[in-house]
Amino acid sequence: MAKLSTHFLDLPVANPLMNASGVWCSVASQLEALAESTSGAMVTKSCTLQPRDGNPEPRYRVLADAGQLFGSINSMGLPNEGFAYYLHYAQRHDHEAKPLFMSLSGLTLDDNLTMIDSLKDAVTPTILEVNLSCPNVPGKSQIGYDFEAMDTLLAEVSSGYQRPFGVKLPPYFDMAHFDEAAEILNRYPLVAFITCINSVGNALMIDLDSETTLIKPKDGFGGLGGDYVLPTALANVNAFYRRCPDKAIIGCGGVKSGREAFLHILSGATLVQLGTALYEEGPGIFPRVLDELAAIMDDKGYQTIAEFHGKLKTIA
Ligand code: SIN
């Protein structure tokens, strides 16, 4: 029988699945449901220094046909309860039972540094992830697409935090951008992990009948998730896995069954996040996807995750 336990940054993890930040993790009741679920790890909603209402509704739409889920579009705009709320949750979380990541998405570099200082002082085993890729705050561009700003932020966070941390990146679509982003990330040994990918930003979904955008903020432009993004997510996971051999990769994008979880791990992901599918199905999705992943491993004769992690073959 396949063994799903693994390690992330030397931490034992029961299995490689977790939520994607933003899904089922905005308030304590959702976080508690994740803590009680069979996920191997969990992450909080990306937070800002102060609480935010986010963008006007409708701001999230699932895309499904005949009961078949195939994607989502969102422009949430970072609605969250504020840094202090998630820090308070982190301080009472049982980190030995399940690793907890805290995702920060400050609206300015100073806000990020203020939050990072408090997190450092709080001395919790929470794992820090800095989100460089929210596409949905009107007037703010994604730091992950501004390599100079990304370099500055990584330098400041490294010297302020002085502990290992991770970054959540937007998808890249050009080999030169993979190279440049990886080169910057590799300058910072404290960047211990990279989460690939955030939603594919600024997509436009239109209802044919009403000839209207599906969501309200930003004239209908929003981040795409689900089936549409799986190949882009796998490419980014594999691109950074190849280029950043000293860093762990967390895969996110298009996972709704054991098949996609397997493909993310094969491409180099150590942990795999569920976003759109978790949003629709709730935390009961974890045992289903874990069973499917174990069944694929059994069929292929793999007994451990390590036997296929990052072992993607290419055609000679
Ligand atoms: C949002 O709140 O708009 C989503 C956050 C993200 O994509 O990073």
Side-chain angles (χ1 to χ4, degrees), residues 46-59:
S46 288
C47 67
T48 47
L49 189 52
Q50 302 301 336
R52 274 174 67 84
D53 290 337
N55 292 339
E57 312 250 10
R59 59 192 183 182

Side-chain angles (χ1 to χ4, degrees), residues 253-281:
V255 181
K256 63 180 182 188
S257 74
R259 173 184 173 273
E260 299 81 36
F262 183 91
L263 295 178
H264 268 270
I265 296 167
L266 187 70
S267 299
T270 299
L271 299 179
V272 176
Q273 300 186 339
L274 279 76
T276 301
L278 169 63
Y279 190 107
E280 294 309 310
E281 209 171 315

Side-chain angles (χ1 to χ4, degrees), residues 9-28:
L9 306 182
D10 293 333
L11 285 174
V13 185
N15 67 69
L17 299 188
M18 63 186 289
N19 64 307
S21 177
V23 183
W24 227 276
C25 59
S26 294
V27 292

Side-chain angles (χ1 to χ4, degrees), residues 75-133:
S75 181
M76 304 298 289
L78 291 175
N80 75 90
E81 303 293 322
F83 171 75
Y85 180 93
Y86 300 101
L87 180 60
H88 180 65
Y89 177 82
Q91 285 170 320
R92 49 198 176 85
H93 177 78
D94 181 354
H95 297 267
E96 277 185 23
K98 187 175 295 197
L100 174 72
F101 294 72
M102 196 162 159
S103 176
L104 306 187
S105 193
L107 296 178
T108 62
L109 177 57
D110 277 354
D111 282 3
N112 271 324
L113 296 176
T114 303
M115 292 189 281
I116 283 159
D117 257 4
S118 304
L119 184 61
K120 187 179 163 196
D121 290 348
V123 194
T124 104
T126 307
I127 304 165
L128 167 64
E129 177 188 85
V130 186
N131 181 354
L132 306 183
S133 52

